[in-house]
Amino acid sequence: LIYNNLMKLHSKLLVKNNHLVGFKKNLEDRKYKSIYRISVKKSSDFHSKLETYEKVNSDMSLHEMADKLGYLLSLGELPNISTQEYHKGHLKSTMHIAVVFCKPLIGEMITIEFGRRVSILLSQIKKDKLRPDVIAFVGGNDNKNRISGAKAGYIYFRRLSTEANLELSGFEFIIEQEITSFKDNLSNLILTLEKKYGKEGISKCHFTLISSDYHLIRIAEIFKLSRRQSILFPLIKISSTWTYLFATYPFCVSPDPTLAFLGRIRVLANDLAIVLVNLNGLIKFNDLIARENFSRLCETNQKLQKMLRIMPGNDNDLQITDGSIQLTVGQWEVLEHGLCAIHEVQRILTPLMNGESIERRKIIYARDLFMEVVKNIRFIIDPDRPVTSGEWVFSLEQAKSNNCSNSIPIC
């Protein structure tokens, strides 16, 4: 009886919001039936999905149905379900902007990871695969260096372009370095473009976003799960389209076992950052914790246990007993403390996945604990380092050839 009443309420709410949840399409042979359904994973997230009738799972538990109905009750308007990621958007755009997400310098010097982001931009332009109207270098300002990452990236790009005999007279350059938040950087960039070209000029602009592969994956995942907190939100406001240009993160495949180990930990921290954004959304906007993110948290916890040999068993495929991986005491402390903290966060959030409520103070405690873990792994475990003089010469030599994308070798 409860289930039937919930189903009736479900239908009335969908009609009230003028939102078509599903329809059956009658075909002459009626052999293949299809429906459109929209699955709510969390607040502000709707995904339309075309499936065969036989694949649709109608066995929904009552608490899941109640969660979705509760979300629809609080929904003011239907979010836009169309994605603005469009790999041919530059063909229909009024303006094409390439945006390089910059990293802070280390010792006033370009780092290996940052150098790859700049090199992939040069490579794509030199091979005539990318032809933006504007090239923007954003971020990289941590108030610890006399020069920002954005300004250093611009100088580095111009030096590589000179060595590659690449003519830059047809490009406009913008350096956005005032603040540390990429989201605010993009907002400021849009304001700069609007002042120069007017609202009409940027009404249908296309962005090519350039960064390390793990960073762009995180951006895409956060946009999918929590658009209000996404750094791409400023682009949504002006109805822009965008694509991603990935720079390969070199450390996971480094021949040095220690660098490879640290690189994999750094990528795992990237997954944790996605969960952290979702947890922050729960506190600020009363978003739902996506089951996908809770699974990501649990899987990352298990991977860290394996990598640190805390979880015993023969299924550990990372053997470090030969001493080939050398970590500092500080790095081990960060990893061990982080693993304990992640386990505690998982314990606190587990009741939410079972449809139970949690005190707000506990959620805030879990968020703060989790935030500290992600920050420590980013700044202490990150294997990125400044480019050496030999690597600098090598990158200039590579810029003269057609192999600009890997102008800095793998460590």
Side-chain angles (χ1 to χ4, degrees):
L1 178 60
I2 295 175
Y3 180 82
N4 291 335
N5 289 335
L6 285 173
M7 289 298 294
K8 290 178 181 179
L9 178 58
H10 185 231
S11 300
K12 290 179 181 179
L13 285 170
L14 294 174
V15 172
K16 180 180 178 181
N17 285 282
N18 296 319
H19 172 52
L20 180 60
V21 172
F23 66 87
K24 294 183 180 179
K25 185 179 180 181
N26 294 320
L27 301 176
E28 291 183 359
D29 57 4
R30 302 186 65 83
K31 181 177 180 180
Y32 297 103
K33 297 179 181 179
S34 61
I35 67 168
Y36 278 98
R37 80 175 179 187
I38 290 185
S39 59
V40 181
K41 292 185 179 179
K42 65 183 296 299
S43 180
S44 76
D45 177 37
F46 274 63
H47 293 284
S48 60
K49 194 172 186 180
L50 180 64
E51 298 181 342
T52 60
Y53 178 76
E54 289 76 16
K55 290 183 180 180
V56 175
N57 180 15
S58 60
D59 296 330
M60 183 183 295
S61 65
L62 287 177
H63 78 82
E64 289 176 329
M65 177 70 74
D67 285 344
K68 295 189 177 186
L69 287 174
Y71 174 76
L72 289 172
L73 283 168
S74 63
L75 186 64
E77 60 180 356
L78 182 67
N80 182 11
I81 65 174
S82 62
T83 178
Q84 290 164 286
E85 182 186 349
Y86 184 32
H87 71 282
K88 292 185 178 180
H90 63 285
L91 300 178
K92 300 180 180 180
S93 63
T94 56
M95 183 183 301
H96 184 190
I97 304 102
V99 179
V100 181
F101 291 110
C102 304
K103 284 193 69 176
L105 308 182
I106 298 179
E108 309 289 344
M109 297 178 67
I110 290 278
T111 65
I112 291 176
E113 182 185 347
F114 185 15
R116 289 218 165 190
R117 300 181 186 183
V118 178
S119 298
I120 193 66
L121 169 63
L122 174 65
S123 174
Q124 294 296 300
I125 293 177
K126 189 174 181 180
K127 295 176 182 178
D128 207 26
K129 294 182 178 180
L130 183 68
R131 201 68 186 176
D133 302 299
V134 179
I135 300 176
F137 294 86
V138 303
N141 184 6
D142 60 357
N143 298 320
K144 295 179 181 179
N145 295 289
R146 291 175 294 177
I147 182 173
S148 69
K151 187 176 292 185
Y154 167 72
I155 296 171
Y156 183 59
F157 176 76
R158 291 205 72 105
R159 178 62 188 274
L160 291 180
S161 299
T162 300
E163 295 295 329
N165 294 319
L166 180 65
E167 178 58 46
L168 299 178
S169 58
F171 301 104
E172 180 180 351
F173 292 92
I174 296 177
I175 298 175
E176 172 49 54
Q177 60 180 357
E178 299 304 321
I179 43 185
T180 57
S181 165
F182 281 139
K183 186 175 182 178
D184 292 337
N185 286 142
L186 289 178
S187 295
N188 286 353
L189 174 61
I190 291 172
L191 288 176
T192 301
L193 294 170
E194 185 177 315
K195 290 178 181 178
K196 188 174 183 63
Y197 299 102
K199 291 185 178 181
E200 184 65 25
I202 65 170
S203 60
K204 293 183 179 180
C205 55
H206 179 80
F207 290 80
T208 296
L209 308 176
I210 305 166
S211 190
S212 302
D213 44 18
Y214 73 87
H215 183 214
L216 293 177
I217 290 171
R218 184 176 83 226
I219 291 174
E221 283 294 298
I222 291 175
F223 175 75
K224 182 179 72 172
L225 295 171
S226 185
R227 295 193 180 188
R228 284 182 293 188
Q229 298 185 85
S230 170
I231 69 171
L232 302 179
F233 194 72
L235 308 187
I236 302 175
K237 292 181 178 179
I238 60 171
S239 302
S240 297
T241 57
W242 60 80
T243 49
Y244 303 110
L245 179 57
F246 298 88
T248 304
Y249 183 64
F251 296 103
C252 287
V253 292
S254 171
D256 185 314
T258 299
L259 289 178
F261 179 86
L262 294 175
R264 289 165 188 160
I265 296 291
R266 179 66 184 85
V267 172
L268 286 178
N270 185 67
D271 284 343
L272 294 177
I274 298 172
V275 182
L276 177 60
V277 170
N278 195 178
L279 187 56
N280 197 52
L282 172 64
I283 296 171
K284 287 187 175 182
F285 308 111
N286 200 30
D287 288 348
L288 301 177
I289 293 292
R291 291 186 178 276
E292 176 182 344
N293 269 336
F294 186 75
S295 298
R296 179 181 279 117
L297 173 64
C298 297
E299 291 170 4
T300 303
N301 186 19
Q302 292 178 355
K303 289 176 182 178
L304 281 174
Q305 288 183 36
K306 287 186 177 182
M307 295 187 76
L308 295 179
R309 304 285 312 240
I310 292 178
M311 178 187 292
N314 298 324
D315 59 339
N316 187 355
D317 54 3
L318 182 61
Q319 301 297 327
I320 62 175
T321 54
D322 59 357
S324 58
I325 296 178
Q326 301 293 332
L327 301 183
T328 65
V329 174
Q331 288 172 333
W332 276 115
E333 288 179 350
V334 167
L335 292 177
E336 291 177 352
H337 174 266
L339 187 60
C340 295
I342 292 171
H343 181 75
E344 176 67 9
V345 172
Q346 181 179 334
R347 184 191 65 80
I348 294 174
L349 296 181
T350 296
L352 280 178
M353 298 298 103
N354 298 327
E356 302 174 18
S357 61
I358 302 178
E359 293 182 21
R360 180 178 175 81
R361 62 178 181 83
K362 289 186 177 180
I363 298 177
I364 294 176
Y365 168 73
R367 189 273 310 272
D368 294 343
L369 187 63
F370 204 30
M371 187 182 299
E372 187 69 18
V373 170
V374 174
K375 183 182 73 172
N376 287 338
I377 292 179
R378 280 181 177 176
F379 291 105
I380 299 178
I381 302 299
D382 188 358
D384 200 15
R385 59 169 178 78
V387 176
T388 65
S389 57
E391 291 165 342
W392 176 267
V393 173
F394 179 82
S395 67
L396 296 180
E397 291 296 325
Q398 289 291 93
K400 295 178 182 179
S401 68
N402 291 325
N403 190 24
C404 308
S405 59
N406 293 319
S407 57
I408 297 178
I410 297 176
C411 312

